[in-house]
Amino acid sequence: MMGIAAANYSVLSLGSVPSVSKTRRSSRPGNTTASPGKVSRERPGFKGQNDHKLNLEVSPHRAVSAVRLMRIELGGAFADLLNERGKGSGDNEMGYVERTLGFRTRELDDRDLRLVTDVVGGTIRWRRFLDHLIGSLCHDKKAFQSMEPLLLQILRIGFYEIIKLNMPSYAVVDENVRLAKFALRPGAGNMVNGILRKLVMLKDTNSLPLPKVEGDNRAQARALATLHSHPVWMVRRWMKFFGQDETIRLMTWNNSEPSFSLRANAAKGVTRTDLTRLLDELEVPYELSSNMDDFVRVSTGLQIVIQAGLLKEGFCAVQDESAGLVVSVLDPQSGDKIADCCAAPGGKTLYMASQLRGEGMISAIDVNKGRLRILKETARSHKVDGVITTIHADLRIFVENPSVKFDKVLLDAPCSGLGVLSKRADLRWNKTLEDLEELKTLQDELLNAASSLVRPGGVFVYSTCSIDHEENEERVAAFLLKHPDFSIDPVDRYVPHHFVTEKGFYLSNPVRHSLDGAFAARLVRAS
C-alpha cells in the first residue's frame, strides 16, 4: 500500500478542506541510532556500526509484536499502532525492541506496520484460545505455567499466524524460531521449533485439541470461553441475559476486525460530501452511514487518513456512530447551556459543540487533567474552542457548590466497556466481575451528582458504552426511585426506531446493528 502524505493544498469552495496527493514511501535501511551507552551482545546476524546492532535476520513485525505484547501485559502500551505520528510510530517501536532485546531489525515498512496491528490485536483477542493450544502442546502443564514472558509471546504470535492468519507454516516456524534464538538463546529456538511443528501437524490433520461444548451450563461456558477467547465470567453473564446463540454471535463480533467511522466536522464547514471526496482522492474505501448524516464507515485505510492530516487539521474525527447517536439523544441546539460530565477525551463534547453553531456553551468536566488538555487542543483544531470551557474536577465534589444550572446535562459514565470489545482488544482481560460491581456504585454516585446540575424543565442524558443491563436500565431505574422529579423522555424522536427499546431508551447492539454497543436514557426534570 502506498503511504499518503498531506500535500498540495488547494483552495476549494470551502476554503479550508485539503486536496491530498499520494506519494510512495520507500523502504530504507533500519535507523542506526542506538540508545546512548547501550552494551551490545555479539551474535551471528548482527551488522552495524558503533554501538548499534542491526539484525537483518529477524522479522521486524514479529520482533515489534513480541515486545509490544509484553508491554501491553505489563500495562505500558495499548493494543493499536494507529496514531497521528504515522510512520514515526514504527521508529518508536523499534526503540523499544532495541532496549528490550539488545538489537534492532530493519525499519518497519507499511506492510510491517499493518502486520503489527493485525498480529498484536489478534493475538490479544485470541489469547485464551492460543494459551489453551500452547498449554496442550507443551510436554507438561508446569512448562507452560513457568514459561518466560518473551518466549510465551513468541509462541502466541506463531500460533496466531498459523491458525488464524493462515500464513505459510514453514515461514512462520522459521521466523519465530530465529526470533527466539536471537532474542533469548538457541535452546528457546529449539523449543519453539518443536511446539510449532507439532501445531502444524495437528492443524494439517484437523486434530487440534479443542474443548467440546457439553455438560452443564458452567462446563459449556468454560468451553465456549476457550473456543471464542473471552473470560468465563463474561460468557456466563451473557448466556444468562442473552442466551447461548446470541452470546456466540456477540463473541464472534468482538473477535472480528473492527471498522471505524469518521464524522465530518460541520464546525469547519466540512460536509459529508466533502469528506467522501477527500477519501476518494486518498483511495480509501468507505460506505455512507444509514443512521447519521455526518458519518461514513471505513473498514481499511484509517492510517492513510491519519497520515494525510485530516484528523490533525480537524476536518473529521474518528467516532463510532453509536457515540454520535448518544449526542442525537441529547439533541444540542444553538444557544444551549450544556454540562458534559466525565467529558474527556471529548469525542461527544466536540460533536455537541459543532452543533451549537457558535452560540451557546459547554462546560466539559473531568477528573483527568491530561485528557482535558488533549480536549482543549483538539477543540482548537476543530474550531469549537469558543464554546467549550474545560473544568478539572471530580464531579461529585464540583456539584457541592454549583454556580449555575444547565439546560442539558450529559453524563457519559465510566463503565465496563462491554460494548466496545471489538475495538478494545485488551479490555476483556482487564475487567472482572468485581470491577462491574464497583462501577455500578460509582455510576449511582455520578448520576446523583450530575442530576443536580439540571435546571427545572431541563434534559438529563445518562449514557454508557456497555450492553450490560445492570449498568444501563437498572441504574436508571434506581436513579428514578430516588429522584421522582425526573421522568423518562422516549428517544424515538431523536434516533431511528430500531435503536429504541420498549422503555424508550436508546440501545445499539453490536450483533443487531453492526455498531459498538451503547446505551442512553433521556430524562426530563419537572418544571
Side-chain angles (χ1 to χ4, degrees), residues 156-212:
R156 284 172 175 169
I157 290 169
F159 273 59
Y160 178 71
E161 291 178 330
I162 289 170
I163 299 296
K164 294 299 180 180
L165 293 185
N166 291 311
M167 288 185 175
S169 299
Y170 67 89
V172 175
V173 174
D174 182 61
E175 293 283 356
N176 283 287
V177 166
R178 191 175 294 139
L179 173 59
K181 285 184 176 180
F182 283 116
L184 292 167
R185 58 196 172 276
N190 294 335
M191 182 178 182
V192 170
N193 182 64
I195 293 177
L196 288 183
R197 288 187 181 279
K198 190 185 299 184
L199 173 70
V200 172
M201 181 190 69
L202 293 173
K203 181 191 176 189
D204 290 345
T205 57
N206 197 29
S207 52
L208 291 173
L210 302 178
K212 294 181 179 180

Side-chain angles (χ1 to χ4, degrees), residues 228-505:
H228 296 276
S229 197
H230 280 67
V232 175
W233 74 264
M234 204 175 285
V235 177
R236 291 190 63 196
R237 190 173 184 85
W238 288 344
M239 288 176 65
K240 175 183 175 181
F241 288 127
F242 306 134
Q244 182 170 302
D245 291 344
E246 184 84 357
T247 297
I248 292 173
R249 285 193 288 268
L250 180 56
M251 291 190 290
T252 300
W253 166 268
N254 291 340
N255 288 332
S256 62
E257 285 299 315
S259 63
F260 296 86
S261 293
L262 298 174
R263 173 179 61 80
N265 182 16
K268 269 202 165 183
V270 182
T271 66
R272 183 164 71 175
T273 300
D274 299 318
L275 179 57
T276 57
R277 179 186 56 75
L278 292 171
L279 294 176
D280 286 335
E281 290 187 20
L282 291 169
E283 298 181 6
V284 172
Y286 62 86
E287 61 179 272
L288 302 180
S289 165
S290 60
N291 304 307
M292 307 284 289
D293 292 339
D294 294 337
F295 286 70
V296 298
R297 296 188 187 185
V298 176
S299 296
T300 60
L302 185 57
Q303 183 71 65
I304 295 174
V305 174
I306 294 171
Q307 289 178 264
L310 300 190
L311 302 183
K312 184 177 181 180
E313 298 299 324
F315 298 109
C316 63
V318 177
Q319 187 166 44
D320 196 80
E321 293 167 58
S322 62
L325 287 163
V326 170
V327 173
S328 296
V329 170
L330 188 75
D331 190 33
Q333 299 292 326
S334 294
D336 279 344
K337 188 182 297 182
I338 300 172
D340 187 1
C341 307
C342 307
K348 296 182 182 70
T349 316
L350 298 170
Y351 189 22
M352 289 189 294
S354 72
Q355 296 189 350
L356 294 184
R357 311 294 180 187
E359 298 181 10
M361 61 164 284
I362 298 177
S363 294
I365 307 164
D366 201 275
V367 72
N368 190 311
K369 193 171 185 178
R371 284 155 65 95
L372 276 179
R373 184 169 58 250
I374 294 172
L375 170 55
K376 289 181 69 173
E377 294 170 356
T378 310
R380 281 194 291 269
S381 67
H382 280 241
K383 299 296 183 186
V384 292
D385 51 312
V387 296
I388 296 176
T389 300
T390 57
I391 299 172
H392 176 226
D394 184 319
L395 178 68
R396 294 166 295 184
I397 298 174
F398 175 77
V399 299
E400 291 178 358
N401 296 294
S403 58
V404 65
K405 298 287 185 179
F406 295 86
D407 303 315
K408 295 173 180 175
V409 174
L410 171 64
L411 172 60
D412 188 34
C415 69
S416 64
L418 295 182
V420 296
L421 296 184
S422 69
K423 290 187 174 69
R424 289 289 309 278
D426 53 332
L427 193 59
R428 70 186 71 176
W429 310 120
N430 297 333
K431 295 293 182 183
T432 66
L433 193 56
E434 291 73 23
D435 292 335
L436 204 62
E437 293 301 317
E438 292 179 6
L439 280 167
K440 284 157 53 178
T441 300
L442 175 61
Q443 288 157 0
D444 288 341
E445 293 175 356
L446 294 174
L447 272 162
N448 290 331
S451 65
S452 66
L453 297 176
V454 184
R455 67 164 175 78
V459 173
F460 180 30
V461 171
Y462 169 74
S463 71
T464 72
C465 57
S466 175
I467 55 173
D468 194 275
H469 178 79
E470 292 184 7
E471 291 187 272
N472 296 335
E473 291 89 347
E474 286 195 13
R475 300 280 57 74
V476 175
F479 171 79
L480 291 175
L481 282 176
K482 296 180 180 179
H483 298 83
D485 53 332
F486 283 86
S487 59
I488 297 171
D489 183 16
V491 302
D492 52 352
R493 292 176 294 162
Y494 306 101
V495 299
H497 67 89
H498 50 276
F499 292 107
V500 183
T501 71
E502 290 183 1
K503 293 186 178 180
F505 301 138

Side-chain angles (χ1 to χ4, degrees), residues 41 66 70 73 134 138 142-156 180 183-189 191-192:
R41 291 178 283 179
M70 288 181 63
E73 288 205 13
I134 295 170
C138 284
K142 288 184 179 180
F144 173 72
Q145 293 174 341
S146 62
M147 191 174 291
E148 54 197 303
L150 179 57
L151 179 58
L152 177 58
Q153 301 302 347
I154 293 172
L155 282 170
R156 284 172 175 169
L184 292 167
R185 58 196 172 276
M191 182 178 182
V192 170

